Amino acid sequence: MIRNLAAYHFVAIDDPQALAASIRAQAGALELRGTVLVAGEGLNLFLAGAPQAIEDFVTWLRGDARFVDLSIKCSESAHVPFARLKVKVKREIIAFRREGASPLTGRAPGVAAQTLARWIARGRDDAGRRLVLLDTRNREEVGYGSFAGALTLPIDNFTELPAALEPHRDALADATVVSFCTGGIRCEKAALWMRASGLGHVLQLDGGILGYFETVGGAGYDGRCFVFDGRVALDPELRPLVDQALDPV
């Protein structure tokens, strides 16, 4: 059995190249495959390998004081859904290119999966405000599934979200907006930017769709969640749409 790890953490990284080199060496020694992005704003990673190897890697990474609070999401598959290990240094761990969206200066309020499931069932938050779920992913991902009735945007890249959201601003003014994405990284930046740009009642779904599936299953969700590896998409029980071996390259 293969364990698949998804995690991200916003924290100041003074020397991204040095961290990338350390991660490349450790993950390689543990025979892990996947994609790791390192930037001055933090770390974003998707790795797969033997369960003990994944556990050892997480223990090693949390040994760095910057990542002691790293939150992880795990799922299982029969095969490794990556062909090789890639560790890259980027300007951002998820490109957005907007002011007012840096999680290093503060975090938008979050909502836990259990709370959101209750709000979805009611159609309102605990204060009685109308609930709007905002999908911050691109149209290809949305095609595999999303929360029922969510506001989806015709975008191909995350950087297009601000312009695509503009026509909806007035309609969102009286609502509690919960932004969501695959694992939490895009909806965290989007929620920060939306609040900074004048939308006051915006929250982010803690842990994203994968965290929601892990905690409460598929309540209020239609379809699967697209993932960026050979599994293609996961259902609410975290079962892959495709589970076949990829040859190492």
Side-chain angles (χ1 to χ4, degrees):
M1 184 61 68
I2 296 300
R3 182 160 299 161
N4 300 280
L5 167 70
Y8 76 92
H9 193 69
F10 285 111
V11 65
I13 305 295
D14 294 332
D15 191 344
Q17 293 286 355
L19 178 60
S22 295
I23 289 174
R24 187 180 294 109
Q26 185 69 17
L30 292 168
E31 299 183 342
L32 303 180
R33 295 188 222 162
T35 300
V36 180
L37 303 180
V38 184
E41 67 177 5
L43 177 68
N44 188 20
L45 56 88
F46 299 90
L47 292 171
Q52 187 61 55
I54 290 290
E55 184 176 331
D56 290 347
F57 179 84
V58 172
T59 299
W60 170 81
L61 189 57
R62 285 177 173 160
D64 184 324
R66 295 171 295 184
F67 303 108
V68 67
D69 295 324
L70 179 74
S71 177
I72 67 173
K73 292 172 284 294
C74 289
S75 58
E76 311 295 332
S77 60
H79 302 284
V80 176
F82 300 97
R84 60 191 176 100
L85 173 66
K86 296 185 289 185
V87 182
K88 300 179 179 181
V89 173
K90 297 283 189 176
R91 179 178 175 184
E92 298 177 78
I93 55 175
I94 180 65
F96 194 45
R97 307 187 194 115
R98 292 294 189 282
E99 297 296 327
S102 173
L104 296 182
T105 59
R107 190 173 190 268
V111 58
Q114 298 95 327
T115 300
L116 183 61
R118 187 176 72 249
W119 290 359
I120 289 171
R122 296 174 54 198
R124 297 185 176 276
D125 69 8
D126 290 336
R129 290 178 62 89
R130 181 171 64 91
L131 177 67
V132 174
L133 300 172
L134 172 65
D135 200 327
T136 64
R137 303 171 303 155
N138 66 46
R139 69 181 92 210
E140 179 184 1
E141 296 169 82
V142 171
Y144 284 87
S146 186
F147 282 102
L151 172 59
T152 61
L153 303 172
I155 62 175
D156 296 308
N157 296 292
F158 185 47
T159 53
E160 300 168 2
L161 183 143
L165 185 66
E166 195 61 33
H168 301 280
R169 277 186 171 273
D170 290 345
L172 297 177
D174 68 337
T176 289
V177 179
V178 177
S179 66
F180 68 91
C181 59
T182 306
I185 186 170
R186 282 174 287 183
C187 53
E188 182 160 350
K189 281 197 170 185
L192 270 175
W193 172 80
M194 291 168 69
R195 292 174 70 91
S197 63
L199 284 169
H201 295 275
V202 180
L203 310 173
Q204 58 182 314
L205 173 58
D206 287 333
I209 299 167
L210 296 182
Y212 187 89
F213 284 176
E214 192 172 27
T215 305
V216 301
Y221 194 93
D222 286 339
R224 295 181 169 90
C225 178
F226 180 88
V227 290
F228 297 89
D229 58 53
R231 295 170 296 169
V232 182
L234 304 182
D235 69 13
E237 285 72 47
L238 299 175
R239 295 175 301 202
L241 177 62
V242 176
D243 197 352
Q244 60 187 29
L246 295 180
D247 293 333
V249 296

